[in-house]
Amino acid sequence: MVIGLYILFAVIVGGLGIYLLMHQQGFLGISAQQAKHPARWFGWLFTIDAVLLLISTFLTNGAALPGGLFVIIATLLTTVLAIVVVRLLFK
């Protein structure tokens, strides 16, 4: 059950990372010039986090601590991305 949740979370986080990498020309109403850096950085960070979560899940057979750390990192990255997007939108 835990392995399935980690895989689902990795797919969602990886999808978000790939979406950001593919939409560097402006996303969420932010101009292309402003969106380029956050989209590239967060896209790579989310994608790497998802891959590491998958690797950790299969190497540790779904142990709570290693996978949970990558879930916490993804949650923090999402919060920071939200703050960056809000700052760019209301600048």
Side-chain angles (χ1 to χ4, degrees):
M1 174 110 175
V2 173
I3 293 174
L5 288 174
Y6 282 162
I7 292 172
L8 176 65
F9 196 79
V11 167
I12 292 170
V13 170
L16 179 61
I18 291 170
Y19 173 82
L20 288 172
L21 287 173
M22 296 184 73
H23 291 89
Q24 293 182 21
Q25 299 304 319
F27 65 98
L28 298 174
I30 301 171
S31 70
Q33 185 68 20
Q34 291 176 324
K36 192 171 189 172
H37 274 359
R40 180 180 301 137
W41 281 102
F42 283 102
W44 280 113
L45 289 173
F46 280 126
T47 305
I48 290 169
D49 186 58
V51 169
L52 290 175
L53 176 58
L54 284 175
I55 291 170
S56 169
T57 300
F58 291 117
L59 286 179
T60 62
N61 202 18
L65 183 61
L69 293 175
F70 291 113
V71 170
I72 291 169
I73 290 170
T75 304
L76 292 173
L77 285 173
T78 306
T79 304
V80 172
L81 176 64
I83 292 169
V84 168
V85 167
V86 167
R87 289 186 77 194
L88 290 173
L89 280 174
F90 297 108
K91 190 171 187 181

